[in-house]
Amino acid sequence: MNFVKRAGLSLWSRKGKTLITLGTFLVVSAMVLGGVLIKSGTARATEAARQRLGAEVTLGADMDAPFTGQAPTIGADVVDRIGASPLVEKYTYNSFDGTRLLNGARTATGKPLAPDYPANSTLAFGVLDSTLMPHFSDGTWTLLSGQPITAADREDDSVLVEERLAKKNGLAPGGTLTLGENDPKGKRKAVFTVKGVYRDPSDTVDSEYGIAPGDRLIVPAAALSRLNSDGSGGAPQLQGATFRLKDPATYDAFRAQAERTAGDALHGLAFDLNDKALRQMTGPLRSITSSATAAMWLIGVAGALVLGLLATLAVRQRRREFGVLLAMGERKWKLVAQQAVEITVAAALAVGLSALFAQSLTQKAGDSLLSGEAASAQRKIDAWQPPPPGSTGLKEGIDMNDKPVEGAVPIDSITVRLSPSDLATVAGVGLGIGLLATAVPGAAVLRLTPRTILTKGK
């Protein structure tokens, strides 16, 4: 087609303007491609972190519900029905109660749970699967010897002890520890077999429960319930539960299904997708994605304006050429098409050139930006201090919801990969900008008449 050949000759004869147009397109293409690559790279990193962490849904007291003076509980049988959902990978109970170390056993600290408690008092946490306890699942606590408590132990009198308590009392897996009920005047007691010994690296009192880390016991929830009740209360009553979903995307479906299954048993309780660790890890990713998107839009809009100006100037400078062509019988749409072809050729070359170096440059730029954001996030995490023992943090202006998740290290690197879909996206954006830039000068061409051009000149 004649107008295509003319477009090629026009680009070659106007090398200076062609290079300026190509350079503008190259900057736009590189920035847009960099933004697309960063967005896809951060999306992959976020998904990888989500799959690695899994989706853990906690069921606990609804903080927005009016307080009735008694903490809400839910039966273990109801939790079992919810946990039987095909959407659930595994689940555990959340409960706790006081207990006493008997037969000469002593706490690791040698101190009672509280000033008015017996010297041998401590707390036991009832579970179904100890591996789902937050500090075990994020790697903060480690099992040094023995085995974790699992659903197979639900009816057993088994216990996990922290290494400091184990050393204080000469305990090891297979040994026994006699525990008494919470009431100092009560007579109920049971002999628990040590299932495992774990390590909690903390040496500070738990601000939520007020217990020294070395004195914490972990037992099956049913065993804890038997120890502190007469056994006639039916299913153990729990303060909550934790469910690990097979797919994080099924949270809404799981919640709806769980609410139908439990009915009124959920009164005073609420589900919460425990994505705090994920948000902590991916905070730097969200930050650089926002920056890259803003830069991409800014460069895209500025590039479209510059290209539109260049195209408009080109039409003004070529009015006489167009007038002669129109006088010779050339159709107006072919002149507009010629402009579009010239812009499209420049856009295609720019996208091709940007694809050669955009991946490596984006990888370096992305890692540099991300490492700075991750370092800043880590400094904020390290600076957080819990309130003094026994304090809720309200007087000190400390929000316990801001407490960092241990082990959730902010992501500081991404892998940038150039895929055909990314290249197609940038090509589409470049072509769109090019066509938009030719719209105004194209309309000017349509208004041209040979008589006006040849008699009035410019």
Side-chain angles (χ1 to χ4, degrees):
M1 300 175 72
N2 289 335
F3 71 87
V4 175
K5 185 180 296 185
R6 285 201 309 270
L9 292 173
S10 176
L11 288 171
W12 183 255
S13 63
R14 295 175 174 82
K15 298 183 183 65
K17 291 185 175 60
T18 299
L19 289 175
I20 293 174
T21 303
L22 179 61
T24 303
F25 258 122
L26 189 59
V27 172
V28 172
S29 298
M31 288 300 298
V32 172
L33 185 55
V36 170
L37 291 177
I38 284 179
K39 288 185 69 175
S40 61
T42 55
R44 284 192 298 270
T46 299
E47 183 60 26
R50 180 180 287 111
Q51 294 299 330
R52 185 167 65 252
L53 291 173
E56 292 190 358
V57 180
T58 57
L59 175 65
D62 185 355
M63 296 296 120
D64 295 328
F67 184 63
T68 60
Q70 185 174 1
T73 60
I74 187 171
D77 55 337
V78 180
V79 172
D80 289 337
R81 292 201 301 271
I82 297 174
S85 167
L87 303 177
V88 176
E89 178 184 344
K90 56 182 180 177
Y91 66 99
T92 190
Y93 304 144
N94 298 336
S95 66
F96 67 93
D97 207 337
T99 187
R100 292 173 293 129
L101 307 179
L102 303 180
N103 293 349
R106 295 174 295 168
T107 61
T109 58
K111 299 177 181 179
L113 184 61
D116 55 345
Y117 279 53
N120 60 346
S121 62
T122 187
L123 279 182
F125 291 78
V127 300
L128 179 67
D129 187 334
S130 63
T131 63
L132 280 183
M133 297 181 74
H135 289 87
F136 275 123
S137 61
D138 67 20
T140 304
W141 297 351
T142 54
L143 193 64
L144 301 179
S145 59
Q147 300 294 325
I149 291 174
T150 66
D153 307 305
R154 68 165 66 217
E155 297 300 330
D156 297 340
D157 288 339
S158 302
V159 61
L160 297 183
V161 297
E162 209 276 334
E163 65 173 334
R164 282 163 285 195
L165 186 69
K167 290 179 180 179
K168 188 71 170 283
N169 296 282
L171 299 173
T176 59
L177 180 65
T178 303
L179 301 178
E181 63 178 297
N182 187 32
D183 184 359
K185 299 179 181 179
K187 302 298 183 182
R188 277 190 300 273
K189 62 182 180 179
V191 177
F192 283 72
T193 300
V194 177
K195 186 83 184 292
V197 176
Y198 72 96
R199 173 177 293 162
D200 176 357
S202 173
D203 58 1
T204 59
V205 173
D206 189 310
S207 58
E208 182 176 1
Y209 298 100
I211 185 174
D215 292 335
R216 184 188 299 103
L217 303 175
I218 302 170
V219 302
L224 184 61
S225 178
R226 286 195 301 269
L227 186 64
N228 283 297
S229 69
D230 58 9
S232 61
Q237 294 300 301
L238 314 171
Q239 281 82 27
T242 300
F243 304 87
R244 176 173 292 172
L245 305 185
K246 296 177 181 177
D247 184 351
T250 61
Y251 168 68
D252 290 335
F254 163 76
R255 179 174 176 175
Q257 188 180 86
E259 289 174 347
R260 289 194 302 271
T261 300
D264 294 340
L266 290 179
H267 181 70
L269 299 167
F271 287 103
D272 179 45
L273 180 60
N274 189 15
D275 60 349
K276 186 176 180 180
L278 180 65
R279 287 186 278 109
Q280 181 172 305
M281 293 176 66
T282 60
L285 297 178
R286 294 193 300 272
S287 180
I288 69 165
T289 299
S290 299
S291 300
T293 301
M296 184 173 64
W297 276 103
L298 180 62
I299 295 297
V301 171
L305 293 174
V306 171
L307 290 169
L309 178 61
L310 291 174
T312 301
L313 292 174
V315 169
R316 290 177 61 85
Q317 293 170 356
R318 298 167 66 182
R319 283 170 62 89
R320 184 166 295 278
E321 174 193 338
F322 289 155
V324 172
L325 291 172
L326 290 171
M328 294 172 61
E330 186 69 277
R331 294 177 179 273
K332 291 182 178 180
W333 71 266
K334 288 187 177 182
L335 297 181
V336 176
Q338 178 181 332
Q339 291 288 304
V341 169
E342 292 177 10
I343 287 290
T344 301
V345 170
L349 287 173
V351 171
L353 289 173
S354 65
L356 297 177
F357 60 82
Q359 179 172 323
S360 59
L361 288 182
T362 303
Q363 182 70 68
K364 293 177 181 178
D367 285 345
S368 177
L369 289 171
L370 191 56
S371 62
E373 293 290 341
S376 176
Q378 189 61 54
R379 285 194 295 270
K380 185 177 180 181
I381 291 171
D382 295 339
W384 192 88
Q385 293 292 332
S391 171
T392 62
L394 295 177
K395 293 182 179 180
E396 295 82 6
I398 300 174
D399 186 353
M400 290 302 295
N401 291 326
D402 294 334
K403 180 181 179 181
V405 179
E406 295 184 35
V409 180
I411 296 173
D412 61 358
S413 65
I414 58 174
T415 300
V416 174
R417 293 199 299 265
L418 178 61
S419 67
S421 62
D422 295 330
L423 203 56
T425 299
V426 176
V429 171
L431 183 59
I433 290 175
L435 294 178
L436 181 64
T438 59
V440 174
V445 171
L446 292 175
R447 291 195 299 269
L448 296 176
T449 63
R451 180 181 178 84
T452 303
I453 295 172
L454 298 177
T455 58
K456 294 184 178 181
K458 297 183 179 180

